[in-house]
Amino acid sequence: RRGKRERRCGRGEMSRYDRAITVFSPDGHLFQVEYAMEAVRKGTTAIGVRGAGVLVLCVEKKSTAKLQEPRTVRKICKLDSHILLAFAGLTADARVLVNKARVECQSYRLTVEDAPSVDYITRYIAGVQQRYTQSGGVRPFGISTLIVGFDLDGSPRLFQTDPSGSFSEWKAAAIGRNSKTVSEFLEKKYPEFIAENRAEAEKQDGQDEATAAAARSEEHAVRFAVRALLEVVESSAKNIEIAVMRKGQAVALLDEAAIASAIAAIEAEKKALEDARRPPAASTTADTATTDAE
């Protein structure tokens, strides 16, 4: 009886800490924040890649109903002319946070008469997320975000924020469902991606070559992001949304034809690698004939 009573008390204490957003459990947990992280892990996958003068956001897009307008379902949002945000988690929470960030961008422009930096907006969004973990009567935002943009000096930036209010800068990052698998792929293949960019940079000779190298660098970044997403997503252009940013240029949202072309190129590369690993059929046949002759 005493053991049962103690177990009931333990469950009662756990549920008390489970319901209170502002109370730590004895082992140092804020359970509502952890549950918000779980909501992020159940959201669609989003990937950010920082290349040489290019930023790419690649997100998994849920299939829409036949009568639904696809343009109303967006996982990539524009905060300012030079800042984009992708999210994983609860879409309604993202809408509220995105609206707050947009208002802050415009307020900054009115006050300072200059564009806000990517770091500033990231700190603001992380600060809002953190405040919603420290006050009674509210709950944490059930989203993680990837924020990309160019600073005034032209340097590309990529940040990630979490429901706890923490943030960090990345070279390539993934959030949402199966983010661990995608992150492992990014870590493994990122050195190859950087090597390709360096090789393209070394080829530059004159303005025309520089423009061509920039286009190839953008293509490499898009393919790298799509390859990572295809590790966990079905190979279809309808399931993927991609945004590309270049310094001083408008944000480009790739259409289905461009995404399908990138997927086809990746599939062709995979097939070529598989064929190269297979032993030649002719030599196998010759060996079999020699054995029969003996």
Side-chain angles (χ1 to χ4, degrees), residues 93-113:
D93 286 15
R95 185 180 68 246
V96 172
L97 194 59
V98 165
N99 287 338
K100 287 177 179 289
R102 285 172 174 168
V103 170
E104 182 61 23
C105 286
Q106 297 308 309
S107 175
Y108 188 95
R109 283 180 178 271
L110 287 171
T111 305
V112 184
E113 297 184 355

Side-chain angles (χ1 to χ4, degrees), residues 47-49 172-174 181-191 224-225 228:
I47 298 170
V49 174
T181 302
V182 179
S183 295
E184 289 174 354
F185 177 87
L186 293 172
E187 288 177 9
K188 182 180 177 182
K189 298 295 183 180
Y190 192 78
F224 180 53

Side-chain angles (χ1 to χ4, degrees), residues 85-265:
L85 178 147
F87 65 90
L90 303 179
T91 303
D93 286 15
R95 185 180 68 246
V96 172
L97 194 59
V98 165
N99 287 338
K100 287 177 179 289
R102 285 172 174 168
V103 170
E104 182 61 23
C105 286
Q106 297 308 309
S107 175
Y108 188 95
R109 283 180 178 271
L110 287 171
T111 305
V112 184
E113 297 184 355
D114 206 350
S117 66
V118 185
D119 180 78
Y120 175 84
I121 290 302
T122 300
R123 289 177 183 276
Y124 172 80
I125 291 174
V128 172
Q129 288 179 295
Q130 195 278 332
R131 285 199 296 276
Y132 276 71
T133 69
Q134 208 170 1
S135 305
V138 298
R139 65 165 176 79
F141 285 94
I143 64 166
S144 283
T145 68
L146 294 176
I147 304 165
V148 300
F150 287 90
D151 281 341
L152 296 178
D153 61 355
S155 54
R157 310 291 294 275
L158 166 61
F159 289 92
Q160 176 185 338
T161 72
D162 292 323
S164 62
S166 63
F167 71 93
S168 52
E169 188 169 5
W170 295 75
K171 298 172 183 175
I175 55 176
R177 183 169 52 242
N178 298 318
S179 59
K180 185 177 179 181
T181 302
V182 179
S183 295
E184 289 174 354
F185 177 87
L186 293 172
E187 288 177 9
K188 182 180 177 182
K189 298 295 183 180
Y190 192 78
E192 295 179 14
F193 169 64
I194 290 298
E196 289 178 351
N197 284 339
R198 285 177 181 166
E200 292 296 341
E202 290 173 359
K203 292 179 184 177
Q204 293 183 20
D205 184 16
Q207 186 64 33
D208 293 339
E209 277 294 330
T211 304
R216 287 192 294 269
S217 174
E218 178 180 323
E219 183 182 351
H220 290 159
V222 170
R223 284 194 189 183
F224 180 53
V226 172
R227 283 173 63 195
L229 192 60
L230 290 180
E231 291 289 306
V232 294
V233 175
E234 184 183 349
S235 178
S236 171
K238 294 182 179 179
N239 299 336
I240 298 175
E241 184 179 354
I242 300 175
V244 180
M245 286 190 76
R246 276 204 162 278
K247 182 179 180 295
Q249 298 182 17
V251 176
L253 287 172
L254 302 190
D255 56 17
E256 285 190 8
I259 298 173
S261 176
I263 292 174

